[in-house]
Amino acid sequence: MDDLIVLIAETYTDNDIGVRVPTETRREVWAHLRSITRAEWRAAGLAGLQPAIVAETPRVNYGGEKLAEVKGVRYEVYRTYAADDSDMIELYLEERAGVR
């Protein structure tokens, strides 16, 4: 693991006038960053996604967060992959408008 990333979980609470307000919980975890493969880029692109990075981290580090921050840039986790015989999980990250 050679890169520190931030996994971000969002929870929502109602304020005094009933508007749902997001609250972020941030956790730093170590991960290995890789480029998206051509096959992944094509498949995700056909689905309307904009894949950017794959972050590989131990499964115990991932708690279902939908957002991640890598080197100051926010991404959305659009897919995960964990092989049955491995304790690692791959987080597929995309840049998406409105995630910043």
Side-chain angles (χ1 to χ4, degrees), residues 7-48:
L7 296 176
I8 304 166
E10 285 186 324
T11 56
Y12 293 87
T13 56
D14 293 336
N15 67 6
D16 296 340
I17 59 173
V19 176
R20 295 185 59 83
V21 178
T23 303
E24 291 185 351
T25 304
R26 301 166 62 90
R27 294 185 309 116
E28 290 184 335
V29 297
W30 288 102
H32 175 70
L33 300 179
R34 295 185 320 210
S35 297
I36 294 289
T37 64
R38 280 185 263 186
E40 177 69 23
W41 183 83
R42 182 179 186 281
L46 290 173

Side-chain angles (χ1 to χ4, degrees), residues 16-91:
D16 296 340
I17 59 173
V19 176
R20 295 185 59 83
V21 178
T23 303
E24 291 185 351
T25 304
R26 301 166 62 90
R27 294 185 309 116
E28 290 184 335
V29 297
W30 288 102
H32 175 70
L33 300 179
R34 295 185 320 210
S35 297
I36 294 289
T37 64
R38 280 185 263 186
E40 177 69 23
W41 183 83
R42 182 179 186 281
L46 290 173
L49 303 172
Q50 298 177 354
I53 301 172
V54 177
E56 185 177 18
T57 190
R59 284 188 195 194
V60 298
N61 287 346
Y62 184 63
E65 292 88 350
K66 298 295 181 192
L67 299 173
E69 189 173 297
V70 179
K71 299 178 183 174
V73 178
R74 278 190 157 202
Y75 297 93
E76 183 173 325
V77 178
Y78 71 88
R79 179 170 92 81
T80 62
Y81 174 75
D84 291 335
D85 62 346
S86 174
D87 66 342
M88 302 299 281
I89 188 166
E90 295 174 349
L91 309 177

